[in-house]
Amino acid sequence: MEKKKFVGFGEMMVRLAPAGVLRFPQADSFTVNYTGAEGNMVIALAYMGMPAEMVTKFPDNDIGRCAYRMLRKYDVMTDHIAWGGERLGVYYLERGASQRPSKVIYDRKHSSIAEAVPEDFDWDAIFADAGWFHFTGITVALSRNMQEICRQACVAAKKHGVKISCDLNYRKNLWSTEEAKRVMTPLMEYVDVCIANEEDSEKVLGIKAADTDVTSGKLSLKGYSNLAAQLADTFGFEKVAITLRESISASVNNWSAMLYADGETYVSKKYTMQIIDRVGGGDSFASGLIYACLNDFDNQKAVEFAAGASCLKHSIEFDFNLSTVDEVMNLINGDGSGRVQR
């Protein structure tokens, strides 16, 4: 039976970063990549062999076409990309090390996708052969137009029987907690699977995990389980997934995750990671979870697969997870030695 496609909707940007862990004032050149939350996910899923489509809007210029070719390079479907507008958004990344945190600076105002209009997207055509739709709080935060476009997308997805997931992904540089809550709360009625990290549920939906301090790295599993149950009860989510990051430093993190489904909490094993590139870690978790759901993994295996996929991504340069299903399976089945394969 042919698998139905995954659809990601959001912004692709140019990532500009100094080499290695140089600081911005030290850099006389930048490494270029084309990336974005939903783009990271469609690339990861396509790399795992799933049919995946990116829906976005690109400027009709050489930079827009570079981002388009990045998607095509990884066999992402692009049939419903809109073209027009003035520019592709940019973000600058200074990668942290040890006790110095990473830093991101956005330059994305008036980007093509932020100024998109509802007429740019034919959601009935997009969802005709789709099985899953994903958007993030980043996408909704881009503009008022995008808020309405995301609402229309969710309505159409439900009409076509498409599952909907949302990563809350709060970004303080894009909007306030008050606006995020006002806009995102009504969209939650359409969402089947909610994905969050330590802070998102509080910043976006006003619901906080008990006995947890993300700055100190103190995490309460019981608190998160209660939080997930509260989210599921409040909004009717089928599943709630929460990543559990313990930041020992910018270079070393403990990483695990939990999944709440059917009134039960499922927790993955914990990994201690030496980080190569942290950006996109949450996107790789979300794509791993969706891969598991689309392939009918049980809940425990699903959260293990998602956490393992994201663990591997932290060892990979740039934002998207170029890990195969076999590589993730080897890790979650106990082979985390990192020994040379030959």
Side-chain angles (χ1 to χ4, degrees), residues 77-93:
M77 290 180 277
T78 54
D79 294 346
H80 297 98
I81 285 177
W83 293 89
E86 297 298 321
R87 65 187 298 255
L88 203 67
V90 178
Y91 87 87
Y92 300 86
L93 171 66

Side-chain angles (χ1 to χ4, degrees), residues 6 12 29 34 38 50 61 76 88 103 111 122 129 132 146 156 162 178 208 212 218 221 239 258 308 316 324 330 342:
F6 167 83
M12 292 286 288
S29 63
Y34 298 90
E38 292 85 355
M50 297 296 294
N61 58 32
V76 171
L88 203 67
K103 180 186 295 184
S111 66
D122 183 348
D129 56 348
W132 198 289
M146 289 303 293
V162 174
E178 292 78 15
K208 178 178 171 57
T212 294
K218 177 187 175 185
L221 190 57
K239 299 179 191 291
M258 59 155 287
I316 298 171
T324 66
N330 286 339
R342 53 186 165 197

Side-chain angles (χ1 to χ4, degrees), residues 201-309:
S201 61
E202 178 185 6
K203 302 290 187 184
V204 177
L205 300 178
I207 300 175
K208 178 178 171 57
D211 301 321
T212 294
D213 182 347
V214 298
T215 302
S216 69
K218 177 187 175 185
L219 303 179
S220 165
L221 190 57
K222 182 179 179 181
Y224 278 120
S225 181
N226 291 337
L227 167 67
Q230 188 175 349
L231 288 169
D233 291 343
T234 301
F235 298 103
F237 301 137
E238 293 179 9
K239 299 179 191 291
V240 177
I242 298 177
T243 54
L244 306 173
R245 185 188 295 274
E246 299 169 88
S247 294
I248 299 168
S249 69
S251 304
V252 180
N253 286 182
N254 289 330
W255 181 256
S256 59
M258 59 155 287
L259 179 66
Y260 181 85
D262 303 321
E264 299 290 337
T265 299
Y266 303 86
V267 182
S268 76
K269 68 177 68 174
K270 183 185 292 188
Y271 301 94
T272 298
M273 306 180 300
Q274 306 286 332
I275 296 175
I276 298 299
D277 198 331
R278 171 176 168 168
V279 181
D283 304 327
S284 61
F285 172 82
S287 57
L289 179 66
I290 291 166
Y291 178 92
C293 291
L294 286 170
N295 287 277
D296 299 321
F297 289 13
D298 65 42
N299 290 323
Q300 185 63 51
K301 187 176 179 181
V303 72
E304 295 288 3
F305 187 88

Side-chain angles (χ1 to χ4, degrees), residues 47-59:
Y47 201 81
M48 291 181 181
M50 297 296 294
E53 178 172 5
M54 183 67 187
V55 179
T56 188
K57 187 172 185 177
F58 287 145

Side-chain angles (χ1 to χ4, degrees), residues 4 13 50 60 95 140 142 162 173 177-178 185 192 233 259 304-305 320:
K4 291 190 173 184
M13 293 183 292
M50 297 296 294
D60 191 7
R95 285 195 287 185
V140 183
L142 293 176
V162 174
N173 291 334
T177 56
E178 292 78 15
T185 298
D192 300 295
D233 291 343
L259 179 66
E304 295 288 3
F305 187 88
F320 30 83

